[in-house]
PDB file of all heavy atoms in Angstrom:
ATOM      1  N   ILE A   1      -3.994  17.816   8.631  1.00 88.00           N
ATOM      2  CA  ILE A   1      -2.524  17.878   8.739  1.00 88.00           C
ATOM      3  C   ILE A   1      -2.110  18.525  10.052  1.00 88.00           C
ATOM      4  O   ILE A   1      -1.193  18.055  10.747  1.00 88.00           O
ATOM      5  CB  ILE A   1      -1.949  18.655   7.535  1.00 88.00           C
ATOM      6  CG1 ILE A   1      -2.191  17.869   6.248  1.00 88.00           C
ATOM      7  CG2 ILE A   1      -0.468  18.933   7.724  1.00 88.00           C
ATOM      8  CD1 ILE A   1      -1.990  18.687   4.997  1.00 88.00           C
ATOM      9  N   LEU A   2      -2.786  19.620  10.414  1.00 85.00           N
ATOM     10  CA  LEU A   2      -2.435  20.333  11.651  1.00 85.00           C
ATOM     11  C   LEU A   2      -2.677  19.481  12.891  1.00 85.00           C
ATOM     12  O   LEU A   2      -2.000  19.656  13.908  1.00 85.00           O
ATOM     13  CB  LEU A   2      -3.214  21.646  11.735  1.00 85.00           C
ATOM     14  CG  LEU A   2      -2.831  22.705  10.690  1.00 85.00           C
ATOM     15  CD1 LEU A   2      -3.721  23.932  10.822  1.00 85.00           C
ATOM     16  CD2 LEU A   2      -1.367  23.111  10.833  1.00 85.00           C
ATOM     17  N   VAL A   3      -3.630  18.566  12.838  1.00 84.00           N
ATOM     18  CA  VAL A   3      -3.846  17.638  13.958  1.00 84.00           C
ATOM     19  C   VAL A   3      -2.610  16.763  14.151  1.00 84.00           C
ATOM     20  O   VAL A   3      -2.147  16.546  15.279  1.00 84.00           O
ATOM     21  CB  VAL A   3      -5.095  16.766  13.711  1.00 84.00           C
ATOM     22  CG1 VAL A   3      -5.173  15.635  14.738  1.00 84.00           C
ATOM     23  CG2 VAL A   3      -6.355  17.614  13.759  1.00 84.00           C
ATOM     24  N   HIS A   4      -2.045  16.276  13.039  1.00 82.00           N
ATOM     25  CA  HIS A   4      -0.838  15.452  13.113  1.00 82.00           C
ATOM     26  C   HIS A   4       0.378  16.267  13.563  1.00 82.00           C
ATOM     27  O   HIS A   4       1.324  15.716  14.121  1.00 82.00           O
ATOM     28  CB  HIS A   4      -0.549  14.818  11.753  1.00 82.00           C
ATOM     29  CG  HIS A   4      -1.526  13.761  11.342  1.00 82.00           C
ATOM     30  ND1 HIS A   4      -1.639  12.556  11.995  1.00 82.00           N
ATOM     31  CD2 HIS A   4      -2.463  13.741  10.349  1.00 82.00           C
ATOM     32  CE1 HIS A   4      -2.584  11.821  11.413  1.00 82.00           C
ATOM     33  NE2 HIS A   4      -3.109  12.524  10.416  1.00 82.00           N
ATOM     34  N   LEU A   5       0.345  17.593  13.319  1.00 84.00           N
ATOM     35  CA  LEU A   5       1.478  18.453  13.676  1.00 84.00           C
ATOM     36  C   LEU A   5       1.326  19.094  15.054  1.00 84.00           C
ATOM     37  O   LEU A   5       2.227  19.783  15.519  1.00 84.00           O
ATOM     38  CB  LEU A   5       1.648  19.566  12.629  1.00 84.00           C
ATOM     39  CG  LEU A   5       2.120  19.125  11.239  1.00 84.00           C
ATOM     40  CD1 LEU A   5       1.993  20.280  10.260  1.00 84.00           C
ATOM     41  CD2 LEU A   5       3.568  18.638  11.290  1.00 84.00           C
ATOM     42  N   SER A   6       0.199  18.872  15.707  1.00 78.00           N
ATOM     43  CA  SER A   6      -0.120  19.593  16.943  1.00 78.00           C
ATOM     44  C   SER A   6       0.856  19.303  18.078  1.00 78.00           C
ATOM     45  O   SER A   6       1.042  20.137  18.967  1.00 78.00           O
ATOM     46  CB  SER A   6      -1.550  19.262  17.392  1.00 78.00           C
ATOM     47  OG  SER A   6      -1.676  17.858  17.642  1.00 78.00           O
ATOM     48  N   GLU A   7       1.498  18.160  18.072  1.00 77.00           N
ATOM     49  CA  GLU A   7       2.414  17.815  19.163  1.00 77.00           C
ATOM     50  C   GLU A   7       3.876  17.933  18.745  1.00 77.00           C
ATOM     51  O   GLU A   7       4.771  17.481  19.459  1.00 77.00           O
ATOM     52  CB  GLU A   7       2.122  16.383  19.645  1.00 77.00           C
ATOM     53  CG  GLU A   7       0.728  16.226  20.243  1.00 77.00           C
ATOM     54  CD  GLU A   7       0.472  14.818  20.741  1.00 77.00           C
ATOM     55  OE1 GLU A   7       1.396  13.967  20.631  1.00 77.00           O
ATOM     56  OE2 GLU A   7      -0.649  14.562  21.231  1.00 77.00           O
ATOM     57  N   GLU A   8       4.119  18.533  17.594  1.00 79.00           N
ATOM     58  CA  GLU A   8       5.491  18.697  17.101  1.00 79.00           C
ATOM     59  C   GLU A   8       5.969  20.129  17.340  1.00 79.00           C
ATOM     60  O   GLU A   8       5.157  21.052  17.488  1.00 79.00           O
ATOM     61  CB  GLU A   8       5.562  18.375  15.601  1.00 79.00           C
ATOM     62  CG  GLU A   8       4.996  17.018  15.232  1.00 79.00           C
ATOM     63  CD  GLU A   8       5.727  15.862  15.901  1.00 79.00           C
ATOM     64  OE1 GLU A   8       6.926  16.006  16.195  1.00 79.00           O
ATOM     65  OE2 GLU A   8       5.095  14.814  16.142  1.00 79.00           O
ATOM     66  N   THR A   9       7.283  20.293  17.382  1.00 78.00           N
ATOM     67  CA  THR A   9       7.865  21.623  17.643  1.00 78.00           C
ATOM     68  C   THR A   9       8.498  22.232  16.387  1.00 78.00           C
ATOM     69  O   THR A   9       9.208  23.229  16.476  1.00 78.00           O
ATOM     70  CB  THR A   9       8.923  21.525  18.747  1.00 78.00           C
ATOM     71  OG1 THR A   9       9.937  20.590  18.354  1.00 78.00           O
ATOM     72  CG2 THR A   9       8.308  21.086  20.061  1.00 78.00           C
ATOM     73  N   VAL A  10       8.267  21.627  15.239  1.00 83.00           N
ATOM     74  CA  VAL A  10       8.854  22.139  14.002  1.00 83.00           C
ATOM     75  C   VAL A  10       8.190  23.454  13.600  1.00 83.00           C
ATOM     76  O   VAL A  10       7.066  23.757  14.021  1.00 83.00           O
ATOM     77  CB  VAL A  10       8.699  21.120  12.852  1.00 83.00           C
ATOM     78  CG1 VAL A  10       9.506  19.862  13.127  1.00 83.00           C
ATOM     79  CG2 VAL A  10       7.239  20.794  12.626  1.00 83.00           C
ATOM     80  N   THR A  11       8.891  24.205  12.773  1.00 83.00           N
ATOM     81  CA  THR A  11       8.319  25.420  12.191  1.00 83.00           C
ATOM     82  C   THR A  11       7.364  25.022  11.068  1.00 83.00           C
ATOM     83  O   THR A  11       7.729  24.233  10.182  1.00 83.00           O
ATOM     84  CB  THR A  11       9.431  26.323  11.630  1.00 83.00           C
ATOM     85  OG1 THR A  11      10.313  26.681  12.689  1.00 83.00           O
ATOM     86  CG2 THR A  11       8.846  27.590  11.006  1.00 83.00           C
ATOM     87  N   ILE A  12       6.152  25.556  11.100  1.00 86.00           N
ATOM     88  CA  ILE A  12       5.134  25.212  10.099  1.00 86.00           C
ATOM     89  C   ILE A  12       4.877  26.428   9.218  1.00 86.00           C
ATOM     90  O   ILE A  12       4.612  27.526   9.715  1.00 86.00           O
ATOM     91  CB  ILE A  12       3.817  24.760  10.775  1.00 86.00           C
ATOM     92  CG1 ILE A  12       4.081  23.573  11.715  1.00 86.00           C
ATOM     93  CG2 ILE A  12       2.775  24.396   9.727  1.00 86.00           C
ATOM     94  CD1 ILE A  12       2.904  23.242  12.613  1.00 86.00           C
ATOM     95  N   LYS A  13       4.948  26.234   7.909  1.00 87.00           N
ATOM     96  CA  LYS A  13       4.690  27.304   6.958  1.00 87.00           C
ATOM     97  C   LYS A  13       3.671  26.828   5.942  1.00 87.00           C
ATOM     98  O   LYS A  13       3.704  25.669   5.515  1.00 87.00           O
ATOM     99  CB  LYS A  13       5.981  27.729   6.249  1.00 87.00           C
ATOM    100  CG  LYS A  13       7.048  28.290   7.191  1.00 87.00           C
ATOM    101  CD  LYS A  13       8.304  28.664   6.431  1.00 87.00           C
ATOM    102  CE  LYS A  13       9.400  29.156   7.381  1.00 87.00           C
ATOM    103  NZ  LYS A  13       9.097  30.472   7.938  1.00 87.00           N
ATOM    104  N   VAL A  14       2.754  27.714   5.568  1.00 86.00           N
ATOM    105  CA  VAL A  14       1.729  27.399   4.570  1.00 86.00           C
ATOM    106  C   VAL A  14       2.015  28.201   3.302  1.00 86.00           C
ATOM    107  O   VAL A  14       2.191  29.421   3.361  1.00 86.00           O
ATOM    108  CB  VAL A  14       0.313  27.717   5.094  1.00 86.00           C
ATOM    109  CG1 VAL A  14      -0.726  27.437   4.017  1.00 86.00           C
ATOM    110  CG2 VAL A  14       0.010  26.902   6.348  1.00 86.00           C
ATOM    111  N   VAL A  15       2.086  27.512   2.174  1.00 84.00           N
ATOM    112  CA  VAL A  15       2.290  28.171   0.881  1.00 84.00           C
ATOM    113  C   VAL A  15       0.913  28.304   0.221  1.00 84.00           C
ATOM    114  O   VAL A  15       0.322  27.301  -0.193  1.00 84.00           O
ATOM    115  CB  VAL A  15       3.227  27.345  -0.026  1.00 84.00           C
ATOM    116  CG1 VAL A  15       3.481  28.087  -1.330  1.00 84.00           C
ATOM    117  CG2 VAL A  15       4.532  27.047   0.693  1.00 84.00           C
ATOM    118  N   PRO A  16       0.355  29.513   0.131  1.00 80.00           N
ATOM    119  CA  PRO A  16      -0.990  29.664  -0.453  1.00 80.00           C
ATOM    120  C   PRO A  16      -0.972  29.399  -1.949  1.00 80.00           C
ATOM    121  O   PRO A  16      -0.037  29.790  -2.645  1.00 80.00           O
ATOM    122  CB  PRO A  16      -1.345  31.124  -0.146  1.00 80.00           C
ATOM    123  CG  PRO A  16      -0.025  31.812  -0.009  1.00 80.00           C
ATOM    124  CD  PRO A  16       0.927  30.794   0.561  1.00 80.00           C
ATOM    125  N   ASP A  17      -1.995  28.725  -2.422  1.00 78.00           N
ATOM    126  CA  ASP A  17      -2.096  28.415  -3.850  1.00 78.00           C
ATOM    127  C   ASP A  17      -2.667  29.619  -4.599  1.00 78.00           C
ATOM    128  O   ASP A  17      -3.761  29.570  -5.162  1.00 78.00           O
ATOM    129  CB  ASP A  17      -2.988  27.188  -4.050  1.00 78.00           C
ATOM    130  CG  ASP A  17      -2.984  26.713  -5.505  1.00 78.00           C
ATOM    131  OD1 ASP A  17      -2.026  27.045  -6.221  1.00 78.00           O
ATOM    132  OD2 ASP A  17      -3.933  26.025  -5.904  1.00 78.00           O
ATOM    133  N   LEU A  18      -1.894  30.698  -4.569  1.00 72.00           N
ATOM    134  CA  LEU A  18      -2.353  31.940  -5.203  1.00 72.00           C
ATOM    135  C   LEU A  18      -1.330  32.469  -6.193  1.00 72.00           C
ATOM    136  O   LEU A  18      -1.410  33.622  -6.622  1.00 72.00           O
ATOM    137  CB  LEU A  18      -2.617  33.013  -4.134  1.00 72.00           C
ATOM    138  CG  LEU A  18      -3.724  32.695  -3.118  1.00 72.00           C
ATOM    139  CD1 LEU A  18      -3.711  33.719  -1.998  1.00 72.00           C
ATOM    140  CD2 LEU A  18      -5.083  32.673  -3.791  1.00 72.00           C
ATOM    141  N   LEU A  19      -0.339  31.628  -6.544  1.00 64.00           N
ATOM    142  CA  LEU A  19       0.743  32.106  -7.401  1.00 64.00           C
ATOM    143  C   LEU A  19       0.229  32.641  -8.731  1.00 64.00           C
ATOM    144  O   LEU A  19       0.759  33.624  -9.260  1.00 64.00           O
ATOM    145  CB  LEU A  19       1.747  30.973  -7.649  1.00 64.00           C
ATOM    146  CG  LEU A  19       2.598  30.548  -6.449  1.00 64.00           C
ATOM    147  CD1 LEU A  19       3.496  29.387  -6.836  1.00 64.00           C
ATOM    148  CD2 LEU A  19       3.426  31.705  -5.934  1.00 64.00           C
ATOM    149  N   GLN A  20      -0.819  31.977  -9.291  1.00 59.00           N
ATOM    150  CA  GLN A  20      -1.320  32.421 -10.583  1.00 59.00           C
ATOM    151  C   GLN A  20      -2.039  33.751 -10.500  1.00 59.00           C
ATOM    152  O   GLN A  20      -2.285  34.396 -11.515  1.00 59.00           O
ATOM    153  CB  GLN A  20      -2.245  31.357 -11.215  1.00 59.00           C
ATOM    154  CG  GLN A  20      -3.565  31.146 -10.473  1.00 59.00           C
ATOM    155  CD  GLN A  20      -3.479  30.049  -9.434  1.00 59.00           C
ATOM    156  OE1 GLN A  20      -2.448  29.900  -8.787  1.00 59.00           O
ATOM    157  NE2 GLN A  20      -4.545  29.284  -9.283  1.00 59.00           N
ATOM    158  N   PHE A  21      -2.397  34.164  -9.273  1.00 63.00           N
ATOM    159  CA  PHE A  21      -3.104  35.438  -9.108  1.00 63.00           C
ATOM    160  C   PHE A  21      -2.186  36.563  -8.662  1.00 63.00           C
ATOM    161  O   PHE A  21      -2.572  37.730  -8.678  1.00 63.00           O
ATOM    162  CB  PHE A  21      -4.242  35.289  -8.092  1.00 63.00           C
ATOM    163  CG  PHE A  21      -5.187  34.172  -8.409  1.00 63.00           C
ATOM    164  CD1 PHE A  21      -5.299  33.083  -7.564  1.00 63.00           C
ATOM    165  CD2 PHE A  21      -5.962  34.205  -9.561  1.00 63.00           C
ATOM    166  CE1 PHE A  21      -6.184  32.040  -7.848  1.00 63.00           C
ATOM    167  CE2 PHE A  21      -6.837  33.168  -9.854  1.00 63.00           C
ATOM    168  CZ  PHE A  21      -6.940  32.083  -9.003  1.00 63.00           C
ATOM    169  N   MET A  22      -0.970  36.234  -8.207  1.00 60.00           N
ATOM    170  CA  MET A  22      -0.072  37.241  -7.654  1.00 60.00           C
ATOM    171  C   MET A  22       0.625  37.998  -8.780  1.00 60.00           C
ATOM    172  O   MET A  22       1.198  37.394  -9.684  1.00 60.00           O
ATOM    173  CB  MET A  22       0.959  36.599  -6.741  1.00 60.00           C
ATOM    174  CG  MET A  22       0.347  36.087  -5.442  1.00 60.00           C
ATOM    175  SD  MET A  22       1.592  35.457  -4.297  1.00 60.00           S
ATOM    176  CE  MET A  22       0.597  35.218  -2.828  1.00 60.00           C
ATOM    177  N   ASN A  23       0.587  39.316  -8.703  1.00 61.00           N
ATOM    178  CA  ASN A  23       1.163  40.132  -9.755  1.00 61.00           C
ATOM    179  C   ASN A  23       2.204  41.086  -9.197  1.00 61.00           C
ATOM    180  O   ASN A  23       3.337  40.706  -8.977  1.00 61.00           O
ATOM    181  CB  ASN A  23       0.042  40.895 -10.474  1.00 61.00           C
ATOM    182  CG  ASN A  23      -0.892  39.953 -11.210  1.00 61.00           C
ATOM    183  OD1 ASN A  23      -0.451  39.215 -12.084  1.00 61.00           O
ATOM    184  ND2 ASN A  23      -2.169  39.962 -10.868  1.00 61.00           N
ATOM    185  N   LEU A  24       1.817  42.324  -8.915  1.00 60.00           N
ATOM    186  CA  LEU A  24       2.773  43.342  -8.488  1.00 60.00           C
ATOM    187  C   LEU A  24       2.870  43.420  -6.973  1.00 60.00           C
ATOM    188  O   LEU A  24       1.864  43.526  -6.289  1.00 60.00           O
ATOM    189  CB  LEU A  24       2.351  44.719  -9.027  1.00 60.00           C
ATOM    190  CG  LEU A  24       2.219  44.824 -10.544  1.00 60.00           C
ATOM    191  CD1 LEU A  24       1.755  46.213 -10.904  1.00 60.00           C
ATOM    192  CD2 LEU A  24       3.519  44.499 -11.235  1.00 60.00           C
ATOM    193  N   GLN A  25       4.094  43.376  -6.464  1.00 60.00           N
ATOM    194  CA  GLN A  25       4.346  43.609  -5.040  1.00 60.00           C
ATOM    195  C   GLN A  25       3.466  42.743  -4.150  1.00 60.00           C
ATOM    196  O   GLN A  25       2.951  43.192  -3.131  1.00 60.00           O
ATOM    197  CB  GLN A  25       4.133  45.095  -4.718  1.00 60.00           C
ATOM    198  CG  GLN A  25       4.994  46.033  -5.529  1.00 60.00           C
ATOM    199  CD  GLN A  25       6.467  45.835  -5.294  1.00 60.00           C
ATOM    200  OE1 GLN A  25       6.923  45.754  -4.160  1.00 60.00           O
ATOM    201  NE2 GLN A  25       7.242  45.751  -6.359  1.00 60.00           N
ATOM    202  N   ALA A  26       3.260  41.487  -4.554  1.00 62.00           N
ATOM    203  CA  ALA A  26       2.446  40.592  -3.738  1.00 62.00           C
ATOM    204  C   ALA A  26       3.175  40.309  -2.428  1.00 62.00           C
ATOM    205  O   ALA A  26       4.394  40.221  -2.376  1.00 62.00           O
ATOM    206  CB  ALA A  26       2.180  39.292  -4.499  1.00 62.00           C
ATOM    207  N   GLY A  27       2.415  40.145  -1.369  1.00 62.00           N
ATOM    208  CA  GLY A  27       3.019  39.870  -0.069  1.00 62.00           C
ATOM    209  C   GLY A  27       1.964  39.758   1.009  1.00 62.00           C
ATOM    210  O   GLY A  27       0.760  39.798   0.747  1.00 62.00           O
ATOM    211  N   VAL A  28       2.445  39.606   2.236  1.00 65.00           N
ATOM    212  CA  VAL A  28       1.553  39.448   3.373  1.00 65.00           C
ATOM    213  C   VAL A  28       1.619  40.702   4.237  1.00 65.00           C
ATOM    214  O   VAL A  28       2.705  41.178   4.583  1.00 65.00           O
ATOM    215  CB  VAL A  28       1.929  38.208   4.212  1.00 65.00           C
ATOM    216  CG1 VAL A  28       1.008  38.076   5.415  1.00 65.00           C
ATOM    217  CG2 VAL A  28       1.862  36.946   3.352  1.00 65.00           C
ATOM    218  N   GLU A  29       0.454  41.250   4.564  1.00 64.00           N
ATOM    219  CA  GLU A  29       0.375  42.421   5.420  1.00 64.00           C
ATOM    220  C   GLU A  29      -0.260  42.019   6.754  1.00 64.00           C
ATOM    221  O   GLU A  29      -0.838  40.939   6.875  1.00 64.00           O
ATOM    222  CB  GLU A  29      -0.464  43.514   4.747  1.00 64.00           C
ATOM    223  CG  GLU A  29       0.089  43.949   3.400  1.00 64.00           C
ATOM    224  CD  GLU A  29      -0.857  44.876   2.671  1.00 64.00           C
ATOM    225  OE1 GLU A  29      -1.972  45.119   3.200  1.00 64.00           O
ATOM    226  OE2 GLU A  29      -0.510  45.345   1.578  1.00 64.00           O
ATOM    227  N   ASP A  30      -0.137  42.892   7.732  1.00 60.00           N
ATOM    228  CA  ASP A  30      -0.698  42.613   9.055  1.00 60.00           C
ATOM    229  C   ASP A  30      -1.734  43.681   9.387  1.00 60.00           C
ATOM    230  O   ASP A  30      -1.451  44.879   9.315  1.00 60.00           O
ATOM    231  CB  ASP A  30       0.417  42.611  10.107  1.00 60.00           C
ATOM    232  CG  ASP A  30      -0.137  42.298  11.497  1.00 60.00           C
ATOM    233  OD1 ASP A  30      -0.207  41.115  11.831  1.00 60.00           O
ATOM    234  OD2 ASP A  30      -0.492  43.242  12.230  1.00 60.00           O
ATOM    235  N   LEU A  31      -2.949  43.234   9.723  1.00 59.00           N
ATOM    236  CA  LEU A  31      -4.009  44.149  10.128  1.00 59.00           C
ATOM    237  C   LEU A  31      -4.417  43.792  11.549  1.00 59.00           C
ATOM    238  O   LEU A  31      -5.246  42.911  11.766  1.00 59.00           O
ATOM    239  CB  LEU A  31      -5.201  44.051   9.167  1.00 59.00           C
ATOM    240  CG  LEU A  31      -6.419  44.925   9.502  1.00 59.00           C
ATOM    241  CD1 LEU A  31      -6.028  46.403   9.485  1.00 59.00           C
ATOM    242  CD2 LEU A  31      -7.556  44.662   8.537  1.00 59.00           C
ATOM    243  N   ASP A  32      -3.762  44.452  12.519  1.00 62.00           N
ATOM    244  CA  ASP A  32      -4.058  44.218  13.927  1.00 62.00           C
ATOM    245  C   ASP A  32      -3.997  42.723  14.266  1.00 62.00           C
ATOM    246  O   ASP A  32      -4.883  42.168  14.909  1.00 62.00           O
ATOM    247  CB  ASP A  32      -5.441  44.779  14.279  1.00 62.00           C
ATOM    248  CG  ASP A  32      -5.640  44.874  15.801  1.00 62.00           C
ATOM    249  OD1 ASP A  32      -4.622  44.952  16.519  1.00 62.00           O
ATOM    250  OD2 ASP A  32      -6.797  44.858  16.243  1.00 62.00           O
ATOM    251  N   GLY A  33      -2.923  42.075  13.795  1.00 63.00           N
ATOM    252  CA  GLY A  33      -2.721  40.662  14.087  1.00 63.00           C
ATOM    253  C   GLY A  33      -3.326  39.712  13.080  1.00 63.00           C
ATOM    254  O   GLY A  33      -3.084  38.507  13.133  1.00 63.00           O
ATOM    255  N   MET A  34      -4.121  40.227  12.131  1.00 67.00           N
ATOM    256  CA  MET A  34      -4.727  39.368  11.107  1.00 67.00           C
ATOM    257  C   MET A  34      -3.895  39.439   9.831  1.00 67.00           C
ATOM    258  O   MET A  34      -3.700  40.520   9.273  1.00 67.00           O
ATOM    259  CB  MET A  34      -6.156  39.823  10.802  1.00 67.00           C
ATOM    260  CG  MET A  34      -6.809  39.020   9.674  1.00 67.00           C
ATOM    261  SD  MET A  34      -8.458  39.637   9.274  1.00 67.00           S
ATOM    262  CE  MET A  34      -9.365  39.110  10.738  1.00 67.00           C
ATOM    263  N   PRO A  35      -3.360  38.290   9.334  1.00 64.00           N
ATOM    264  CA  PRO A  35      -2.574  38.306   8.099  1.00 64.00           C
ATOM    265  C   PRO A  35      -3.461  38.538   6.883  1.00 64.00           C
ATOM    266  O   PRO A  35      -4.505  37.893   6.729  1.00 64.00           O
ATOM    267  CB  PRO A  35      -1.935  36.911   8.064  1.00 64.00           C
ATOM    268  CG  PRO A  35      -2.852  36.056   8.876  1.00 64.00           C
ATOM    269  CD  PRO A  35      -3.439  36.951   9.935  1.00 64.00           C
ATOM    270  N   ILE A  36      -3.075  39.481   6.038  1.00 67.00           N
ATOM    271  CA  ILE A  36      -3.795  39.786   4.816  1.00 67.00           C
ATOM    272  C   ILE A  36      -2.850  39.565   3.645  1.00 67.00           C
ATOM    273  O   ILE A  36      -1.749  40.126   3.622  1.00 67.00           O
ATOM    274  CB  ILE A  36      -4.292  41.254   4.796  1.00 67.00           C
ATOM    275  CG1 ILE A  36      -5.100  41.583   6.063  1.00 67.00           C
ATOM    276  CG2 ILE A  36      -5.094  41.523   3.531  1.00 67.00           C
ATOM    277  CD1 ILE A  36      -6.414  40.864   6.173  1.00 67.00           C
TER     278      ILE A  36
END
């Protein structure tokens, strides 16, 4: 998919398939530029 999007200027967002595992205060953290 990203190959097809490589020449586009749209905003790209990925929805992780982790909804069934997410419980309290789930979210994305940053560790020196690495998303956790």
Side-chain angles (χ1 to χ4, degrees):
I1 294 165
L2 292 177
V3 170
H4 290 293
L5 291 170
S6 60
E7 296 181 1
E8 307 299 332
T9 58
V10 294
T11 300
I12 303 169
K13 298 179 183 289
V14 178
V15 183
D17 187 22
L18 297 170
L19 290 178
Q20 68 268 36
F21 306 115
M22 290 185 171
N23 294 301
L24 302 178
Q25 303 298 312
V28 179
E29 301 172 357
D30 181 89
L31 178 61
D32 194 24
M34 176 183 289
I36 307 293

